[in-house]
């Protein structure tokens, strides 16, 4: 049952794409909740359906994409039937998003002040003087030095870390209740990544936002997430609180992702673990567990669709290995 603290409640979400070859599901049967002040990490390799999920929530799917089933409820209101114009009032105001690559997300021909100020112009009836004041304040809030000077500069004049702070400022300008962060640290070096993660956590504590954090990097997840959903082939294969997932991963895919995190001491003699094969294309529609062709523990039952099974009240997994009838050689 949805609690009073629930900001976002996604139920049985199915996102499909049309092509010349037919209609294919990129995400299917997705269920999750996001609560006030909590961070839910959505994890998986490229092509697993993470970013498609975020675009569906924001009603920013490309023309050939559609939500073919399910509900996306924001504070009890189903967003799926809303028009693009109706969603525009929510997007950026109540639900905001920061993207992976700040250089392509920012317009190179407008100043930083113009781009951040546009958010206030769209969502609030403010004078130019008030817009400039709020723009400077939000840039200072995300710890951009000499904010007044930076407002007159263009994106190419800023470092990657500063450009990402600008995107965070734009996302938080209207004090949103939900922040969707799609791979916000991927293009940054490790030191700047840590600074951006610390900044997001600090701002979340101040604003009590719910954060949907999308990443392929479980190392980053350990720093920021309260709960984690692991996606593979458009489906959730494991869901748990962060502590449980890192100490007791149940799905072979989650175990493989954790094993592939770089560790001190990795060398040619002790190389980094990899996952053989590739994430299946959405056009590869087949039954059973979608990970079975890459799974070292696959056995005959994996040709059937695994049920999502609760291990305890904070940990669930979709894997036949949790079935007591699984052969010993498969576990």
């Amino acid at each position: 049952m949805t609690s009073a603290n629930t900001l976002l409640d996604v139920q049985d979400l199915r996102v499909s794409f049309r092509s010349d070859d037919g209609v294919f599901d990129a995400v299917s049967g997705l269920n999750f909740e996001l609560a006030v002040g909590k961070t839910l990490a959505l994890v998986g390799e490229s092509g697993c359906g993470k970013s498609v999920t975020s675009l569906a929530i924001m009603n920013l799917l490309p023309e050939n994409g559609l939500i073919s089933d399910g509900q996306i409820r924001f504070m009890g209101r189903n967003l799926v039937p809303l028009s693009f114009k109706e969603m525009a009032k929510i997007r950026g105001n109540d639900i905001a998003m920061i993207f992976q690559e700040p250089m392509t997300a920012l317009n190179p021909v407008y100043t930083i002040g113009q781009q951040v100020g546009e958010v206030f112009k769209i969502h609030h009836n403010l004078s130019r003087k008030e817009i400039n004041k709020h723009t400077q304040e939000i840039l200072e809030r995300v710890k951009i030095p000499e904010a007044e000077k930076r407002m007159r500069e263009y994106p190419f004049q800023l470092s990657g870390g500063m450009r990402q702070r600008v995107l965070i400022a734009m996302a938080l300008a209207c004090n949103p209740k939900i922040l969707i962060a799609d791979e916000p640290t991927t293009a940054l070096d490790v030191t700047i990544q840590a600074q951006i993660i610390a900044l997001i956590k600090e701002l979340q504590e101040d604003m009590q936002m719910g954060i949907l954090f999308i990443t392929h990097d479980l190392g980053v997840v350990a720093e920021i997430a309260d709960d984690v959903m692991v996606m593979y082939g458009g489906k959730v294969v494991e869901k748990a609180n962060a502590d449980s997932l890192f100490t007791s991963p149940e799905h072979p895919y989650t175990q493989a992702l954790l094993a592939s995190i770089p560790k001190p001491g990795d060398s040619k003699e002790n190389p980094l673990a990899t996952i053989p094969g590739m994430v299946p294309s959405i056009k590869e529609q087949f039954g059973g567990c979608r990970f079975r062709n890459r799974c070292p523990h696959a056995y005959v039952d994996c040709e059937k669709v695994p049920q999502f099974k609760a291990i305890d009240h904070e940990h669930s997994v979709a894997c036949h290995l949790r079935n007591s009838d699984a052969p010993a050689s498969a576990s």
Side-chain angles (χ1 to χ4, degrees), residues 8 30 32 39-58 96-100 179-186 197 200 211-218 220-221 224-225 227-229 231:
L8 191 68
L30 187 61
F32 68 87
T39 298
L40 172 64
L42 196 52
V43 177
E45 296 167 274
S46 296
C48 284
K50 310 183 305 297
S51 293
V52 169
T53 299
S54 68
L55 294 175
I57 293 169
M58 297 293 284
M97 189 168 180
I98 51 178
F99 295 91
Q100 176 178 153
L179 176 66
I180 299 175
D182 188 0
E183 302 271 13
T185 62
T186 297
I197 293 298
I200 291 173
I211 297 178
L212 182 62
F213 195 94
I214 296 169
T215 185
H216 66 277
D217 187 344
L218 279 165
V220 173
V221 170
I224 196 168
D227 300 288
V228 186
M229 287 197 318
M231 288 190 75

Side-chain angles (χ1 to χ4, degrees), residues 256-287:
L257 288 175
L258 287 168
S260 66
I261 297 175
K263 304 174 187 66
D266 284 341
S267 63
K268 289 182 179 179
E269 293 73 29
N270 186 29
L272 188 67
T274 60
I275 306 174
M278 300 287 290
V279 176
S281 161
I282 65 170
K283 293 185 179 182
E284 295 179 52
Q285 302 291 319
F286 56 86

Side-chain angles (χ1 to χ4, degrees), residues 139-153:
L139 291 177
E140 289 170 349
R141 191 172 186 181
V142 299
K143 301 181 181 179
I144 290 181
E146 300 180 280
E148 187 176 7
K149 175 187 173 185
R150 300 297 186 189
M151 287 171 60
R152 298 189 294 272
E153 294 181 341

Side-chain angles (χ1 to χ4, degrees), residues 88-285:
K89 297 176 182 178
I90 295 172
R91 191 188 308 115
N93 195 32
D94 294 311
I95 306 176
M97 189 168 180
I98 51 178
F99 295 91
Q100 176 178 153
E101 179 43 69
M103 198 59 198
T104 56
L106 292 169
N107 193 318
V109 302
Y110 290 100
T111 66
I112 299 303
Q114 287 173 318
Q115 295 186 64
V116 178
E118 185 71 9
V119 180
F120 295 108
K121 182 179 178 180
I122 291 172
H123 293 287
H124 300 282
N125 185 23
L126 300 175
S127 66
R128 172 50 55 187
K129 183 177 180 180
E130 289 172 320
I131 288 173
N132 288 339
K133 176 176 177 291
H134 286 299
T135 297
Q136 182 175 338
E137 288 174 350
I138 194 64
L139 291 177
E140 289 170 349
R141 191 172 186 181
V142 299
K143 301 181 181 179
I144 290 181
E146 300 180 280
E148 187 176 7
K149 175 187 173 185
R150 300 297 186 189
M151 287 171 60
R152 298 189 294 272
E153 294 181 341
Y154 292 87
F156 76 89
Q157 295 175 278
L158 274 60
S159 67
M162 284 297 131
R163 289 195 294 267
Q164 193 60 276
R165 288 173 188 266
V166 170
L167 289 184
I168 294 171
M170 293 172 69
L172 302 186
C174 295
N175 295 307
K177 295 178 174 62
I178 294 174
L179 176 66
I180 299 175
D182 188 0
E183 302 271 13
T185 62
T186 297
L188 307 175
D189 66 47
V190 175
T191 302
I192 304 301
Q193 276 189 16
Q195 293 175 6
I196 295 298
I197 293 298
L199 174 63
I200 291 173
K201 288 170 67 176
E202 180 183 326
L203 293 167
Q204 180 186 35
E205 189 172 337
D206 290 344
M207 301 169 67
Q208 283 299 292
M209 296 179 296
I211 297 178
L212 182 62
F213 195 94
I214 296 169
T215 185
H216 66 277
D217 187 344
L218 279 165
V220 173
V221 170
E223 297 295 321
I224 196 168
D226 298 294
D227 300 288
V228 186
M229 287 197 318
V230 181
M231 288 190 75
Y232 188 82
K235 292 179 176 288
V236 175
V237 297
E238 188 161 5
K239 185 189 300 184
N241 66 50
D243 289 341
S244 180
L245 186 104
F246 279 92
T247 57
S248 303
E250 294 288 344
H251 198 282
Y253 180 57
T254 309
Q255 294 166 358
L257 288 175
L258 287 168
S260 66
I261 297 175
K263 304 174 187 66
D266 284 341
S267 63
K268 289 182 179 179
E269 293 73 29
N270 186 29
L272 188 67
T274 60
I275 306 174
M278 300 287 290
V279 176
S281 161
I282 65 170
K283 293 185 179 182
E284 295 179 52
Q285 302 291 319

Side-chain angles (χ1 to χ4, degrees), residues 68-83:
S68 48
D69 200 6
Q71 297 186 344
I72 301 170
R73 306 193 73 86
F74 169 64
M75 300 183 70
R77 183 187 186 188
N78 187 11
L79 303 182
V80 174
L82 299 187
S83 67

Side-chain angles (χ1 to χ4, degrees), residues 317-329:
V317 65
C319 181
H320 290 294
L321 294 179
R322 292 301 303 175
N323 190 316
S324 59
D325 296 330
S329 61

